[in-house]
Amino acid sequence: MAGGDGPNPGAGGPVAAGGRPLIITEDPLLLDDLLRLCAAAGAEPHVHHAVPEQSGAGGDDSGDGSGGSGGGAAGVAGVGWESAPLVLVGDDAARRVRGAPRRDGVFLVGRDLDDPHVWQRAVEIGAEEVLTLPDAENRLVDRIADVVEGAGRPALTVGVIGGSGGAGASTLACALALRAARAGERTILIDGDPLGGGMDVLLGGEAAEGLRWPDFAASRGRVGAGALAESLPELHALRVLSWDRGDRVVVPPAAMRSVVAAARRRGGVVVVDLPRRVDEAVAEVLAQLDLVLLVVRGELRAVAAAGRVAAGVRMVARDVRVVVRGPAPGGLDAEAVAGLLGVPLAGEVPVEVGLPGRVAEGEPPGSHGRGALARFCDGFWQRALGSAQGVAV
């Protein structure tokens, strides 16, 4: 079962979000399991030991386990069959709900892996999936918690990684997050590089109140999406997960996976600044990204170094594209860099005169809306967020 230590801030038509799941079963052992899993997901379900009578009378939906009795499946509608955001039907009750209206969000739950007829019963009640306990406990907790959190479309999640030292990956990551937030997108910026200078510093918020990575190091299982965002410092209209000034620079892979997954479930946009070395924790992040932008200077040595970084990233990431910083005097143009790396070109970020000085004075990258960096980021988001089928850049 999913659980955690550390911060774990707990048919027709779409299924409503944010309500109470409906459990239908007469099996006391199965009910105990389902109540336990709902508690782990932070949900208080409506419970019916048996299907109420067709009139809708009888039954107890208080969640205390005292159910009513009765017959026809049509009676379920009177106590929330159609309005519940999620319906968990015990395998013992499948035959009694066959006549209920078809809807999304129905799951058939049982324990017998070897029952050859379970899928037939699932089809008869219009179930989306058959979940067998205890194997499917984590899956079921996640699904229930999605209902509680009102989870919708996951965030467009973009990683930024430098092809070599000094490529400007952190600058681009910060600017991308800032421009997304300025465009009205719900945005989280995640600093995945413990040895970098700190994204909160780049945004001028190193003293801001909120949790940092070491606070999540003990997290396991599911982290609440809304609670995660509320716990982080808010800087320039976006939420930032960075590192503190302490000595701890290691977060276990499981914690990385849980935190990034929570950020994605919140929706909107997530930008992750990544280190060049792909270890197990970084691989957990890469596996959840929709797109990785590899930032490369238009110089031959930088391209050679970026080739090694790209090889490691492409072993895990689904979609890797190159952003060329330049043009470099006497260097390579953007198309040549992409060709040498064998990576699609996402674009070129021209050198912005005066940017280092403004950053040193406390102006975050990308905040100067008329600069070349901001224009690149604005164009990137217009293309990426405007694509209904995926990331088009």
Side-chain angles (χ1 to χ4, degrees), residues 42-67:
E44 182 183 358
H46 294 282
V47 175
H48 286 270
H49 281 197
V51 177
E53 296 179 359
Q54 292 192 17
S55 63
D60 179 6
D61 65 355
S62 64
D64 64 1
S66 59

Side-chain angles (χ1 to χ4, degrees), residues 305-323:
R308 292 189 289 272
V309 176
V313 171
R314 294 172 80 175
M315 292 178 65
V316 185
R318 294 189 295 268
D319 191 350
V320 182
R321 310 189 194 186
V322 63
V323 174

Side-chain angles (χ1 to χ4, degrees), residues 155 175-188 234 236-239 266-270 377-378 381-382 385:
L176 282 168
L178 186 60
R179 298 312 299 177
R182 293 278 176 91
E185 293 293 331
R186 179 183 292 177
T187 305
I188 294 180
E234 184 174 9
H236 302 277
L238 57 91
R239 297 286 180 170
R266 185 171 178 256
V269 164
V270 175
C377 295
D378 289 345
W381 290 125
Q382 287 173 7
L385 294 170

Side-chain angles (χ1 to χ4, degrees), residues 11-355:
V15 178
R20 296 171 60 184
L22 173 64
I23 296 175
I24 302 175
T25 182
E26 290 183 302
D27 182 339
L29 297 179
L30 178 60
L31 177 59
D32 284 346
D33 281 341
L34 293 178
L35 290 175
R36 173 174 55 85
L37 298 178
C38 284
E44 182 183 358
H46 294 282
V47 175
H48 286 270
H49 281 197
V51 177
E53 296 179 359
Q54 292 192 17
S55 63
D60 179 6
D61 65 355
S62 64
D64 64 1
S66 59
S69 61
V76 181
V79 294
W81 172 269
E82 293 181 316
S83 61
L86 185 72
V87 180
L88 305 177
V89 179
D91 193 28
D92 62 288
R95 287 186 175 87
R96 296 190 298 277
V97 301
R98 281 186 298 187
R102 293 301 174 101
R103 50 153 292 166
D104 296 332
V106 176
F107 291 81
L108 184 64
V109 186
R111 288 195 184 85
D112 188 355
L113 285 170
D114 299 321
D115 184 349
H117 304 297
V118 64
W119 289 103
Q120 178 181 345
R121 293 194 292 276
V123 170
E124 289 173 349
I125 67 172
E128 290 185 14
E129 192 173 344
V130 174
L131 299 175
T132 304
L133 303 182
D135 292 353
E137 284 193 352
N138 288 345
R139 159 72 176 150
L140 187 51
V141 169
D142 282 346
R143 190 66 180 86
I144 297 168
D146 282 343
V147 167
V148 175
E149 294 178 1
R153 183 175 181 180
L156 176 59
T157 309
V158 178
V160 185
I161 188 167
S164 61
S170 295
T171 297
L172 178 58
C174 183
L176 282 168
L178 186 60
R179 298 312 299 177
R182 293 278 176 91
E185 293 293 331
R186 179 183 292 177
T187 305
I188 294 180
L189 173 60
I190 296 177
D191 186 352
D193 187 357
L195 302 181
M199 300 302 290
D200 54 350
V201 175
L202 200 54
L203 287 162
E206 59 269 28
E209 293 185 359
L211 300 184
R212 266 66 174 184
W213 264 121
D215 297 307
F216 293 93
S219 296
R220 298 195 305 271
R222 186 182 179 99
V223 175
L228 169 69
E230 292 301 316
S231 73
L232 301 178
E234 184 174 9
L235 304 170
H236 302 277
L238 57 91
R239 297 286 180 170
V240 182
L241 176 54
S242 190
W243 300 84
D244 61 13
R245 310 282 82 85
D247 295 333
R248 181 161 191 159
V249 295
V250 176
V251 170
M256 279 280 190
R257 177 175 63 249
S258 296
V259 170
V260 174
R264 294 186 71 244
R265 288 196 307 273
R266 185 171 178 256
V269 164
V270 175
V271 179
V272 187
D273 182 41
L274 294 165
R276 294 193 302 279
R277 182 174 179 269
V278 180
D279 57 16
E280 188 177 353
V282 173
E284 290 286 359
V285 179
L286 288 170
Q288 298 192 59
L289 299 179
D290 297 303
L291 172 67
V292 178
L293 297 178
L294 176 65
V295 186
V296 183
R297 299 195 310 273
E299 303 169 356
L300 191 57
R301 288 186 63 195
V303 173
R308 292 189 289 272
V309 176
V313 171
R314 294 172 80 175
M315 292 178 65
V316 185
R318 294 189 295 268
D319 191 350
V320 182
R321 310 189 194 186
V322 63
V323 174
V324 178
R325 293 290 303 274
L332 303 168
D333 62 26
E335 288 77 11
V337 171
L340 288 170
L341 290 172
V343 176
L345 179 65
E348 181 178 6
V349 181
V351 173
E352 185 172 326
V353 177
L355 177 61

